[in-house]
PDB file of all heavy atoms in Angstrom:
ATOM      1  N   SER Z  18      58.612 -47.557  50.993  1.00  0.00           N
ATOM      2  CA  SER Z  18      59.790 -46.724  50.614  1.00  0.00           C
ATOM      3  C   SER Z  18      61.042 -47.157  51.470  1.00  0.00           C
ATOM      4  O   SER Z  18      60.912 -47.712  52.590  1.00  0.00           O
ATOM      5  CB  SER Z  18      59.490 -45.270  50.909  1.00  0.00           C
ATOM      6  OG  SER Z  18      58.447 -44.806  50.079  1.00  0.00           O
ATOM      7  N   LEU Z  19      62.339 -47.061  50.817  1.00  0.00           N
ATOM      8  CA  LEU Z  19      63.442 -47.195  51.633  1.00  0.00           C
ATOM      9  C   LEU Z  19      64.449 -46.173  51.070  1.00  0.00           C
ATOM     10  O   LEU Z  19      64.316 -45.594  50.042  1.00  0.00           O
ATOM     11  CB  LEU Z  19      64.064 -48.643  51.156  1.00  0.00           C
ATOM     12  CG  LEU Z  19      63.431 -49.839  51.813  1.00  0.00           C
ATOM     13  CD1 LEU Z  19      64.072 -51.127  51.253  1.00  0.00           C
ATOM     14  CD2 LEU Z  19      63.676 -49.821  53.426  1.00  0.00           C
ATOM     15  N   ASN Z  20      65.349 -45.669  52.020  1.00  0.00           N
ATOM     16  CA  ASN Z  20      66.408 -44.763  51.639  1.00  0.00           C
ATOM     17  C   ASN Z  20      67.720 -45.499  51.811  1.00  0.00           C
ATOM     18  O   ASN Z  20      68.038 -45.760  52.959  1.00  0.00           O
ATOM     19  CB  ASN Z  20      66.281 -43.554  52.506  1.00  0.00           C
ATOM     20  CG  ASN Z  20      67.277 -42.541  52.105  1.00  0.00           C
ATOM     21  OD1 ASN Z  20      67.633 -42.418  50.907  1.00  0.00           O
ATOM     22  ND2 ASN Z  20      67.541 -41.622  52.979  1.00  0.00           N
ATOM     23  N   LEU Z  21      68.414 -45.846  50.796  1.00  0.00           N
ATOM     24  CA  LEU Z  21      69.689 -46.453  50.810  1.00  0.00           C
ATOM     25  C   LEU Z  21      70.807 -45.393  50.913  1.00  0.00           C
ATOM     26  O   LEU Z  21      70.700 -44.284  50.366  1.00  0.00           O
ATOM     27  CB  LEU Z  21      69.888 -47.292  49.499  1.00  0.00           C
ATOM     28  CG  LEU Z  21      68.854 -48.346  49.206  1.00  0.00           C
ATOM     29  CD1 LEU Z  21      69.287 -49.098  47.983  1.00  0.00           C
ATOM     30  CD2 LEU Z  21      68.658 -49.211  50.411  1.00  0.00           C
ATOM     31  N   SER Z  22      71.832 -45.857  51.614  1.00  0.00           N
ATOM     32  CA  SER Z  22      73.034 -44.905  51.799  1.00  0.00           C
ATOM     33  C   SER Z  22      74.300 -45.701  51.205  1.00  0.00           C
ATOM     34  O   SER Z  22      74.359 -46.882  51.346  1.00  0.00           O
ATOM     35  CB  SER Z  22      73.206 -44.591  53.224  1.00  0.00           C
ATOM     36  OG  SER Z  22      72.005 -43.784  53.792  1.00  0.00           O
ATOM     37  N   CYS Z  23      75.117 -44.821  50.813  1.00  0.00           N
ATOM     38  CA  CYS Z  23      76.505 -45.252  50.302  1.00  0.00           C
ATOM     39  C   CYS Z  23      77.538 -44.422  51.014  1.00  0.00           C
ATOM     40  O   CYS Z  23      77.544 -43.247  50.524  1.00  0.00           O
ATOM     41  CB  CYS Z  23      76.627 -45.344  48.796  1.00  0.00           C
ATOM     42  SG  CYS Z  23      78.202 -45.679  48.192  1.00  0.00           S
ATOM     43  N   ALA Z  24      78.229 -44.979  51.897  1.00  0.00           N
ATOM     44  CA  ALA Z  24      79.239 -44.134  52.606  1.00  0.00           C
ATOM     45  C   ALA Z  24      80.632 -44.465  52.141  1.00  0.00           C
ATOM     46  O   ALA Z  24      80.922 -45.621  51.936  1.00  0.00           O
ATOM     47  CB  ALA Z  24      79.126 -44.434  54.172  1.00  0.00           C
ATOM     48  N   ALA Z  25      81.381 -43.451  51.910  1.00  0.00           N
ATOM     49  CA  ALA Z  25      82.702 -43.578  51.355  1.00  0.00           C
ATOM     50  C   ALA Z  25      83.667 -43.155  52.440  1.00  0.00           C
ATOM     51  O   ALA Z  25      83.508 -42.360  53.354  1.00  0.00           O
ATOM     52  CB  ALA Z  25      82.969 -42.592  50.138  1.00  0.00           C
ATOM     53  N   SER Z  26      84.919 -43.874  52.403  1.00  0.00           N
ATOM     54  CA  SER Z  26      85.976 -43.625  53.314  1.00  0.00           C
ATOM     55  C   SER Z  26      87.256 -43.721  52.531  1.00  0.00           C
ATOM     56  O   SER Z  26      87.255 -44.362  51.459  1.00  0.00           O
ATOM     57  CB  SER Z  26      86.085 -44.665  54.552  1.00  0.00           C
ATOM     58  OG  SER Z  26      86.268 -45.944  54.072  1.00  0.00           O
ATOM     59  N   GLY Z  27      88.281 -43.075  52.880  1.00  0.00           N
ATOM     60  CA  GLY Z  27      89.557 -43.136  52.352  1.00  0.00           C
ATOM     61  C   GLY Z  27      89.782 -42.095  51.338  1.00  0.00           C
ATOM     62  O   GLY Z  27      90.975 -41.839  50.890  1.00  0.00           O
ATOM     63  N   SER Z  28      88.831 -41.407  50.900  1.00  0.00           N
ATOM     64  CA  SER Z  28      88.885 -40.337  50.014  1.00  0.00           C
ATOM     65  C   SER Z  28      87.543 -39.467  50.045  1.00  0.00           C
ATOM     66  O   SER Z  28      86.487 -39.905  50.411  1.00  0.00           O
ATOM     67  CB  SER Z  28      89.010 -40.906  48.476  1.00  0.00           C
ATOM     68  OG  SER Z  28      89.073 -39.902  47.519  1.00  0.00           O
ATOM     69  N   THR Z  29      87.574 -38.286  49.429  1.00  0.00           N
ATOM     70  CA  THR Z  29      86.402 -37.424  49.332  1.00  0.00           C
ATOM     71  C   THR Z  29      85.593 -37.834  48.002  1.00  0.00           C
ATOM     72  O   THR Z  29      86.215 -38.560  47.180  1.00  0.00           O
ATOM     73  CB  THR Z  29      86.803 -36.003  49.320  1.00  0.00           C
ATOM     74  OG1 THR Z  29      87.470 -35.688  48.053  1.00  0.00           O
ATOM     75  CG2 THR Z  29      87.741 -35.573  50.373  1.00  0.00           C
ATOM     76  N   LEU Z  30      84.454 -37.372  47.919  1.00  0.00           N
ATOM     77  CA  LEU Z  30      83.628 -37.732  46.733  1.00  0.00           C
ATOM     78  C   LEU Z  30      83.629 -36.600  45.844  1.00  0.00           C
ATOM     79  O   LEU Z  30      82.910 -36.477  44.746  1.00  0.00           O
ATOM     80  CB  LEU Z  30      82.206 -37.937  47.271  1.00  0.00           C
ATOM     81  CG  LEU Z  30      82.005 -39.145  48.007  1.00  0.00           C
ATOM     82  CD1 LEU Z  30      80.501 -39.412  48.312  1.00  0.00           C
ATOM     83  CD2 LEU Z  30      82.574 -40.447  47.360  1.00  0.00           C
ATOM     84  N   ASP Z  31      84.424 -35.580  46.030  1.00  0.00           N
ATOM     85  CA  ASP Z  31      84.615 -34.452  45.036  1.00  0.00           C
ATOM     86  C   ASP Z  31      85.106 -34.967  43.671  1.00  0.00           C
ATOM     87  O   ASP Z  31      85.964 -35.610  43.485  1.00  0.00           O
ATOM     88  CB  ASP Z  31      85.493 -33.319  45.577  1.00  0.00           C
ATOM     89  CG  ASP Z  31      85.000 -32.663  46.879  1.00  0.00           C
ATOM     90  OD1 ASP Z  31      83.845 -32.745  47.191  1.00  0.00           O
ATOM     91  OD2 ASP Z  31      85.903 -32.088  47.527  1.00  0.00           O
ATOM     92  N   ASP Z  32      84.349 -34.565  42.643  1.00  0.00           N
ATOM     93  CA  ASP Z  32      84.568 -34.844  41.246  1.00  0.00           C
ATOM     94  C   ASP Z  32      84.563 -36.381  41.054  1.00  0.00           C
ATOM     95  O   ASP Z  32      85.272 -36.827  40.144  1.00  0.00           O
ATOM     96  CB  ASP Z  32      85.888 -34.193  40.926  1.00  0.00           C
ATOM     97  CG  ASP Z  32      85.954 -32.726  41.007  1.00  0.00           C
ATOM     98  OD1 ASP Z  32      85.037 -32.090  40.678  1.00  0.00           O
ATOM     99  OD2 ASP Z  32      87.021 -32.150  41.473  1.00  0.00           O
ATOM    100  N   VAL Z  33      83.924 -37.203  41.863  1.00  0.00           N
ATOM    101  CA  VAL Z  33      83.629 -38.534  41.579  1.00  0.00           C
ATOM    102  C   VAL Z  33      82.296 -38.839  41.276  1.00  0.00           C
ATOM    103  O   VAL Z  33      81.383 -38.454  42.004  1.00  0.00           O
ATOM    104  CB  VAL Z  33      84.175 -39.238  42.810  1.00  0.00           C
ATOM    105  CG1 VAL Z  33      83.882 -40.825  42.745  1.00  0.00           C
ATOM    106  CG2 VAL Z  33      85.617 -39.087  43.147  1.00  0.00           C
ATOM    107  N   ALA Z  34      82.055 -39.632  40.229  1.00  0.00           N
ATOM    108  CA  ALA Z  34      80.759 -40.035  39.884  1.00  0.00           C
ATOM    109  C   ALA Z  34      80.313 -41.297  40.701  1.00  0.00           C
ATOM    110  O   ALA Z  34      81.151 -42.110  41.026  1.00  0.00           O
ATOM    111  CB  ALA Z  34      80.703 -40.414  38.450  1.00  0.00           C
ATOM    112  N   ILE Z  35      79.109 -41.280  41.186  1.00  0.00           N
ATOM    113  CA  ILE Z  35      78.631 -42.402  41.963  1.00  0.00           C
ATOM    114  C   ILE Z  35      77.414 -43.090  41.297  1.00  0.00           C
ATOM    115  O   ILE Z  35      76.509 -42.322  40.786  1.00  0.00           O
ATOM    116  CB  ILE Z  35      78.324 -41.920  43.431  1.00  0.00           C
ATOM    117  CG1 ILE Z  35      79.520 -41.379  44.108  1.00  0.00           C
ATOM    118  CG2 ILE Z  35      77.694 -43.112  44.140  1.00  0.00           C
ATOM    119  CD1 ILE Z  35      80.547 -42.317  44.410  1.00  0.00           C
ATOM    120  N   GLY Z  36      77.269 -44.399  41.362  1.00  0.00           N
ATOM    121  CA  GLY Z  36      76.160 -44.965  40.666  1.00  0.00           C
ATOM    122  C   GLY Z  36      75.512 -46.045  41.567  1.00  0.00           C
ATOM    123  O   GLY Z  36      76.323 -46.648  42.463  1.00  0.00           O
ATOM    124  N   TRP Z  37      74.195 -46.265  41.415  1.00  0.00           N
ATOM    125  CA  TRP Z  37      73.622 -47.280  42.097  1.00  0.00           C
ATOM    126  C   TRP Z  37      73.235 -48.461  41.088  1.00  0.00           C
ATOM    127  O   TRP Z  37      72.651 -48.083  39.995  1.00  0.00           O
ATOM    128  CB  TRP Z  37      72.325 -46.717  42.731  1.00  0.00           C
ATOM    129  CG  TRP Z  37      72.542 -46.119  43.978  1.00  0.00           C
ATOM    130  CD1 TRP Z  37      72.620 -44.762  44.239  1.00  0.00           C
ATOM    131  CD2 TRP Z  37      72.798 -46.663  45.306  1.00  0.00           C
ATOM    132  NE1 TRP Z  37      72.889 -44.480  45.579  1.00  0.00           N
ATOM    133  CE2 TRP Z  37      72.987 -45.657  46.320  1.00  0.00           C
ATOM    134  CE3 TRP Z  37      72.870 -47.950  45.822  1.00  0.00           C
ATOM    135  CZ2 TRP Z  37      73.093 -45.844  47.593  1.00  0.00           C
ATOM    136  CZ3 TRP Z  37      73.011 -48.225  47.179  1.00  0.00           C
ATOM    137  CH2 TRP Z  37      73.286 -47.182  48.041  1.00  0.00           C
ATOM    138  N   PHE Z  38      73.550 -49.535  41.441  1.00  0.00           N
ATOM    139  CA  PHE Z  38      73.209 -50.754  40.615  1.00  0.00           C
ATOM    140  C   PHE Z  38      72.412 -51.705  41.335  1.00  0.00           C
ATOM    141  O   PHE Z  38      72.409 -51.753  42.534  1.00  0.00           O
ATOM    142  CB  PHE Z  38      74.574 -51.445  40.159  1.00  0.00           C
ATOM    143  CG  PHE Z  38      75.411 -50.646  39.288  1.00  0.00           C
ATOM    144  CD1 PHE Z  38      76.160 -49.479  39.673  1.00  0.00           C
ATOM    145  CD2 PHE Z  38      75.572 -50.996  37.846  1.00  0.00           C
ATOM    146  CE1 PHE Z  38      76.906 -48.673  38.973  1.00  0.00           C
ATOM    147  CE2 PHE Z  38      76.428 -50.165  37.092  1.00  0.00           C
ATOM    148  CZ  PHE Z  38      76.947 -49.045  37.501  1.00  0.00           C
ATOM    149  N   ARG Z  39      71.757 -52.740  40.520  1.00  0.00           N
ATOM    150  CA  ARG Z  39      70.888 -53.627  41.176  1.00  0.00           C
ATOM    151  C   ARG Z  39      71.280 -55.005  40.365  1.00  0.00           C
ATOM    152  O   ARG Z  39      71.471 -55.009  39.290  1.00  0.00           O
ATOM    153  CB  ARG Z  39      69.423 -53.384  41.313  1.00  0.00           C
ATOM    154  CG  ARG Z  39      68.768 -53.382  39.952  1.00  0.00           C
ATOM    155  CD  ARG Z  39      67.225 -53.151  40.164  1.00  0.00           C
ATOM    156  NE  ARG Z  39      66.598 -53.046  38.903  1.00  0.00           N
ATOM    157  CZ  ARG Z  39      65.400 -52.590  38.709  1.00  0.00           C
ATOM    158  NH1 ARG Z  39      64.763 -52.167  39.788  1.00  0.00           N
ATOM    159  NH2 ARG Z  39      64.930 -52.601  37.479  1.00  0.00           N
ATOM    160  N   GLN Z  40      71.115 -56.103  41.197  1.00  0.00           N
ATOM    161  CA  GLN Z  40      71.233 -57.489  40.657  1.00  0.00           C
ATOM    162  C   GLN Z  40      70.193 -58.359  41.279  1.00  0.00           C
ATOM    163  O   GLN Z  40      70.334 -58.679  42.450  1.00  0.00           O
ATOM    164  CB  GLN Z  40      72.609 -57.989  40.849  1.00  0.00           C
ATOM    165  CG  GLN Z  40      72.958 -59.181  40.122  1.00  0.00           C
ATOM    166  CD  GLN Z  40      74.379 -59.568  40.016  1.00  0.00           C
ATOM    167  OE1 GLN Z  40      75.256 -59.200  40.823  1.00  0.00           O
ATOM    168  NE2 GLN Z  40      74.726 -60.519  39.081  1.00  0.00           N
ATOM    169  N   ALA Z  41      69.219 -58.803  40.554  1.00  0.00           N
ATOM    170  CA  ALA Z  41      68.222 -59.664  40.977  1.00  0.00           C
ATOM    171  C   ALA Z  41      68.743 -61.109  40.722  1.00  0.00           C
ATOM    172  O   ALA Z  41      69.601 -61.342  39.770  1.00  0.00           O
ATOM    173  CB  ALA Z  41      66.958 -59.438  40.189  1.00  0.00           C
ATOM    174  N   PRO Z  42      68.203 -62.044  41.503  1.00  0.00           N
ATOM    175  CA  PRO Z  42      68.594 -63.470  41.224  1.00  0.00           C
ATOM    176  C   PRO Z  42      68.542 -63.941  39.763  1.00  0.00           C
ATOM    177  O   PRO Z  42      67.484 -63.791  39.131  1.00  0.00           O
ATOM    178  CB  PRO Z  42      67.700 -64.296  42.166  1.00  0.00           C
ATOM    179  CG  PRO Z  42      67.283 -63.340  43.126  1.00  0.00           C
ATOM    180  CD  PRO Z  42      67.195 -62.013  42.441  1.00  0.00           C
ATOM    181  N   GLY Z  43      69.492 -64.432  39.149  1.00  0.00           N
ATOM    182  CA  GLY Z  43      69.596 -64.873  37.889  1.00  0.00           C
ATOM    183  C   GLY Z  43      69.682 -63.911  36.873  1.00  0.00           C
ATOM    184  O   GLY Z  43      69.584 -64.167  35.532  1.00  0.00           O
ATOM    185  N   LYS Z  44      69.916 -62.625  37.176  1.00  0.00           N
ATOM    186  CA  LYS Z  44      69.969 -61.503  36.245  1.00  0.00           C
ATOM    187  C   LYS Z  44      71.416 -60.898  36.384  1.00  0.00           C
ATOM    188  O   LYS Z  44      72.040 -60.897  37.408  1.00  0.00           O
ATOM    189  CB  LYS Z  44      68.871 -60.507  36.403  1.00  0.00           C
ATOM    190  CG  LYS Z  44      67.471 -61.148  36.124  1.00  0.00           C
ATOM    191  CD  LYS Z  44      66.469 -60.074  36.182  1.00  0.00           C
ATOM    192  CE  LYS Z  44      65.044 -60.637  35.828  1.00  0.00           C
ATOM    193  NZ  LYS Z  44      64.046 -59.515  35.950  1.00  0.00           N
ATOM    194  N   GLU Z  45      71.735 -60.152  35.389  1.00  0.00           N
ATOM    195  CA  GLU Z  45      73.007 -59.290  35.236  1.00  0.00           C
ATOM    196  C   GLU Z  45      72.782 -58.120  36.181  1.00  0.00           C
ATOM    197  O   GLU Z  45      71.819 -57.480  36.369  1.00  0.00           O
ATOM    198  CB  GLU Z  45      73.323 -58.943  33.834  1.00  0.00           C
ATOM    199  CG  GLU Z  45      73.543 -60.116  33.051  1.00  0.00           C
ATOM    200  CD  GLU Z  45      73.927 -59.725  31.509  1.00  0.00           C
ATOM    201  OE1 GLU Z  45      73.798 -58.442  31.263  1.00  0.00           O
ATOM    202  OE2 GLU Z  45      74.354 -60.447  30.714  1.00  0.00           O
ATOM    203  N   ARG Z  46      73.991 -57.601  36.577  1.00  0.00           N
ATOM    204  CA  ARG Z  46      74.005 -56.394  37.417  1.00  0.00           C
ATOM    205  C   ARG Z  46      73.862 -55.201  36.485  1.00  0.00           C
ATOM    206  O   ARG Z  46      74.494 -55.096  35.391  1.00  0.00           O
ATOM    207  CB  ARG Z  46      75.312 -56.271  38.110  1.00  0.00           C
ATOM    208  CG  ARG Z  46      75.409 -55.115  39.086  1.00  0.00           C
ATOM    209  CD  ARG Z  46      76.686 -55.057  39.886  1.00  0.00           C
ATOM    210  NE  ARG Z  46      76.931 -56.326  40.686  1.00  0.00           N
ATOM    211  CZ  ARG Z  46      77.919 -56.487  41.353  1.00  0.00           C
ATOM    212  NH1 ARG Z  46      78.868 -55.541  41.528  1.00  0.00           N
ATOM    213  NH2 ARG Z  46      78.082 -57.653  42.166  1.00  0.00           N
ATOM    214  N   GLU Z  47      72.978 -54.262  36.778  1.00  0.00           N
ATOM    215  CA  GLU Z  47      72.592 -53.152  35.791  1.00  0.00           C
ATOM    216  C   GLU Z  47      72.586 -51.882  36.612  1.00  0.00           C
ATOM    217  O   GLU Z  47      72.212 -51.938  37.736  1.00  0.00           O
ATOM    218  CB  GLU Z  47      71.242 -53.445  35.225  1.00  0.00           C
ATOM    219  CG  GLU Z  47      70.174 -53.456  36.241  1.00  0.00           C
ATOM    220  CD  GLU Z  47      68.698 -53.577  35.598  1.00  0.00           C
ATOM    221  OE1 GLU Z  47      68.662 -53.350  34.424  1.00  0.00           O
ATOM    222  OE2 GLU Z  47      67.736 -53.926  36.243  1.00  0.00           O
ATOM    223  N   GLY Z  48      73.075 -50.864  35.843  1.00  0.00           N
ATOM    224  CA  GLY Z  48      73.005 -49.508  36.451  1.00  0.00           C
ATOM    225  C   GLY Z  48      71.593 -48.989  36.493  1.00  0.00           C
ATOM    226  O   GLY Z  48      70.926 -49.051  35.430  1.00  0.00           O
ATOM    227  N   ILE Z  49      71.128 -48.448  37.603  1.00  0.00           N
ATOM    228  CA  ILE Z  49      69.865 -47.793  37.508  1.00  0.00           C
ATOM    229  C   ILE Z  49      69.814 -46.418  37.851  1.00  0.00           C
ATOM    230  O   ILE Z  49      68.858 -45.680  37.504  1.00  0.00           O
ATOM    231  CB  ILE Z  49      69.059 -48.479  38.721  1.00  0.00           C
ATOM    232  CG1 ILE Z  49      69.693 -48.367  40.193  1.00  0.00           C
ATOM    233  CG2 ILE Z  49      68.919 -49.983  38.440  1.00  0.00           C
ATOM    234  CD1 ILE Z  49      68.755 -48.981  41.262  1.00  0.00           C
ATOM    235  N   SER Z  50      70.875 -45.699  38.472  1.00  0.00           N
ATOM    236  CA  SER Z  50      71.003 -44.384  38.750  1.00  0.00           C
ATOM    237  C   SER Z  50      72.280 -43.891  39.025  1.00  0.00           C
ATOM    238  O   SER Z  50      72.950 -44.555  39.876  1.00  0.00           O
ATOM    239  CB  SER Z  50      69.967 -43.955  39.963  1.00  0.00           C
ATOM    240  OG  SER Z  50      69.853 -42.493  40.057  1.00  0.00           O
ATOM    241  N   CYS Z  51      72.840 -42.848  38.361  1.00  0.00           N
ATOM    242  CA  CYS Z  51      74.177 -42.370  38.626  1.00  0.00           C
ATOM    243  C   CYS Z  51      74.042 -40.801  38.701  1.00  0.00           C
ATOM    244  O   CYS Z  51      73.193 -40.228  38.219  1.00  0.00           O
ATOM    245  CB  CYS Z  51      74.982 -42.703  37.492  1.00  0.00           C
ATOM    246  SG  CYS Z  51      75.606 -44.454  37.392  1.00  0.00           S
ATOM    247  N   ILE Z  52      75.060 -40.234  39.394  1.00  0.00           N
ATOM    248  CA  ILE Z  52      75.138 -38.856  39.716  1.00  0.00           C
ATOM    249  C   ILE Z  52      76.625 -38.437  39.472  1.00  0.00           C
ATOM    250  O   ILE Z  52      77.417 -39.112  39.980  1.00  0.00           O
ATOM    251  CB  ILE Z  52      74.546 -38.504  41.055  1.00  0.00           C
ATOM    252  CG1 ILE Z  52      74.351 -36.968  41.370  1.00  0.00           C
ATOM    253  CG2 ILE Z  52      75.289 -39.100  42.215  1.00  0.00           C
ATOM    254  CD1 ILE Z  52      73.587 -36.689  42.454  1.00  0.00           C
ATOM    255  N   GLY Z  53      76.672 -37.192  38.903  1.00  0.00           N
ATOM    256  CA  GLY Z  53      78.092 -36.642  38.775  1.00  0.00           C
ATOM    257  C   GLY Z  53      78.318 -35.574  39.893  1.00  0.00           C
ATOM    258  O   GLY Z  53      77.810 -35.716  41.019  1.00  0.00           O
TER     259      GLY Z  53
END
């Protein structure tokens, strides 16, 4: 298991959608999980 973190600065995250994407070698970047 791993726990990834995404830290924001310069603005709050209120009312902002955040998504996690992944890109494997030779493949397109794809959305895997998003939260409102």
Side-chain angles (χ1 to χ4, degrees):
S18 299
L19 286 174
N20 189 21
L21 305 184
S22 298
C23 174
S26 62
S28 179
T29 69
L30 295 182
D31 295 345
D32 300 319
V33 175
I35 301 294
W37 283 99
F38 294 70
R39 70 182 179 188
Q40 187 166 20
K44 296 185 177 181
E45 297 180 352
R46 187 175 303 184
E47 62 176 346
I49 58 172
S50 185
C51 289
I52 187 169

